[in-house]
Amino acid sequence: MEPAPVIHIQNLSHRYKTHQALSGVSFTVLPQSIHGFVGPNGAGKTTTLKILATLLKPQPGSLAGVHVFGQDIVLQRNAVRRRMGFMPDHFSMYRQMSVFEYLDFFGAAYGLGQVQRDKIIGDVLTLTDMAGRRDDLISGLSRGMQQRVSLARVLVHDPDLLLLDEPASGLDPRARIELMEILEELRRLGKTIFISSHILSELATLCDHVTILDRGIVKYTGTMRGLIANADGASAIYHLTLAAEHQPAGDALARLPGMQRVTPPLPNEARYTLTFDRAQLPLNTILQTALAAGAQIVSFTEDVKHLNQAFMDLTEPGVGG
């Protein structure tokens, strides 16, 4: 039996004067999942997030149903707010406060006592790897560190659901990777994470489910794996990296039923590109075949460009209004 969804949106529409931002949007987010919310700039992602966060009131007659933890976001707004944390794309910070003062201020705003605040702030600073900067002024922190402080602020009241709008925006590659590792740890701690981005490949290895929005319309909602199957039938493209080039393994893989193509590695490399029918050929069979041939496997990853192609197939060119 599938668990009750954390987020359930049914037939949501929203309009700004002459611009239709959302048109009949429907999707669900399951508990303890990392659910990507992906679409081009102007697709309606931020509008949806603001409605979910109870910062934008649904228009009269437009709301068929938006529930968070089974609670109506309009009729039970305060109860919904207590269980969620929202990190917007563009956030303001009290730059002349220290990191601890900033988090302590928000902890007090949530009604937490001083002893409780001290403990929680210590925990979230450790989780976000900012414990060593607790007394630093926010104005002296890099963009990546400010993002960590903003995420720590979202966690101060220990919400069950995190709404993150483009959290990796403006970060360098290392800071992006570190942020994704933090989000993975939060999922392991039982949080549900709903994360918006306009770059599918950025979320490919992080999310188990994804909803693609384009010009206010849901083009796909479901598992990440289902997205690829939806866009390209049963074919899958994976990269298999070995410790060294291994011709017997390549030959053995090419003979597998369902294997469509084995692209050999470039000179001085050991990365094979495998194109195969996922319905006929399980991933475990591929790995077992390579090992049985005597190869030493370093990594086995899905092709990111394949995911990008799935995204491009489902969205229209140009930027939505």
Side-chain angles (χ1 to χ4, degrees):
M1 185 177 185
E2 190 172 87
V6 170
I7 295 173
H8 180 74
I9 295 181
Q10 184 65 39
N11 197 32
L12 174 65
S13 297
H14 198 84
R15 187 176 187 85
Y16 297 105
K17 295 183 178 179
T18 59
H19 171 56
Q20 189 71 37
L22 301 173
S23 300
V25 168
S26 299
F27 63 87
T28 60
V29 175
L30 298 177
Q32 296 185 32
S33 66
I34 300 182
H35 192 115
F37 192 42
V38 186
N41 291 326
K45 303 186 301 297
T46 296
T47 296
T48 306
L49 280 166
K50 286 182 176 179
I51 290 173
L52 280 170
T54 74
L55 299 177
L56 181 62
K57 192 172 182 179
Q59 294 164 340
S62 69
L63 183 63
V66 177
H67 293 83
V68 175
F69 295 107
Q71 297 172 312
D72 186 284
I73 64 162
V74 176
L75 301 178
Q76 298 163 295
R77 182 178 63 178
N78 291 336
V80 168
R81 286 181 171 180
R82 282 194 290 269
R83 299 192 65 182
M84 72 163 59
F86 176 48
M87 180 177 168
D89 181 10
H90 301 288
F91 51 88
S92 299
M93 305 184 81
Y94 303 122
R95 297 172 59 81
Q96 297 310 309
M97 281 185 172
S98 70
V99 171
F100 178 83
E101 289 170 338
Y102 179 74
L103 297 178
D104 188 62
F105 170 80
F106 279 96
Y110 281 113
L112 304 178
Q114 187 64 62
V115 173
Q116 188 179 10
R117 295 203 302 273
D118 289 345
K119 181 183 185 308
I120 291 176
I121 291 171
D123 289 343
V124 298
L125 287 177
T126 298
L127 177 66
T128 55
D129 198 23
M130 289 294 291
R133 310 302 292 266
R134 95 190 275 280
D135 297 321
D136 290 10
L137 291 180
I138 289 174
S139 60
L141 299 178
S142 67
R143 167 75 176 180
M145 289 184 179
Q146 288 186 13
Q147 288 279 60
R148 289 176 182 234
V149 174
S150 183
L151 180 58
R153 187 265 306 165
V154 169
L155 295 170
V156 161
H157 66 298
D158 195 24
D160 298 308
L161 168 65
L162 304 180
L163 305 177
L164 311 179
D165 191 4
E166 302 280 359
S169 175
L171 299 186
D172 61 53
R174 181 181 182 85
R176 285 173 183 250
I177 292 170
E178 290 172 346
L179 175 63
M180 297 306 168
E181 289 173 348
I182 292 171
L183 297 182
E184 190 66 71
E185 177 62 22
L186 287 167
R187 190 249 293 272
R188 285 194 289 268
L189 292 173
K191 309 294 185 188
T192 300
I193 302 172
F194 186 63
I195 177 172
S196 166
S197 176
H198 63 282
I199 305 173
L200 178 61
S201 58
E202 185 175 84
L203 305 180
T205 59
L206 182 70
C207 298
D208 39 48
H209 290 75
V210 64
T211 295
I212 294 180
L213 193 69
D214 185 31
R215 300 175 188 265
I217 300 170
V218 172
K219 294 300 184 74
Y220 174 83
T221 185
T223 64
M224 189 68 77
R225 186 165 303 284
L227 168 63
I228 302 170
N230 180 72
D232 193 30
S235 292
I237 301 176
Y238 273 72
H239 297 297
L240 176 66
T241 303
L242 306 179
E245 186 175 357
H246 199 282
Q247 186 64 38
D251 293 341
L253 291 170
R255 291 193 295 269
L256 287 173
M259 184 65 70
Q260 297 164 350
R261 184 169 60 256
V262 176
T263 304
L266 297 173
N268 302 317
E269 290 188 4
R271 190 179 81 157
Y272 294 79
T273 299
L274 314 177
T275 304
F276 56 93
D277 186 330
R278 65 172 71 250
Q280 293 187 49
L281 187 52
L283 300 181
N284 284 344
T285 300
I286 294 174
L287 296 173
Q288 290 167 1
T289 300
L291 291 171
Q296 183 179 349
I297 297 173
V298 175
S299 66
F300 186 48
T301 57
E302 195 153 17
D303 184 65
V304 170
K305 291 181 181 178
H306 198 46
L307 287 169
N308 286 344
Q309 187 58 50
F311 176 74
M312 295 298 289
D313 290 343
L314 288 168
T315 57
E316 299 178 24
V319 178

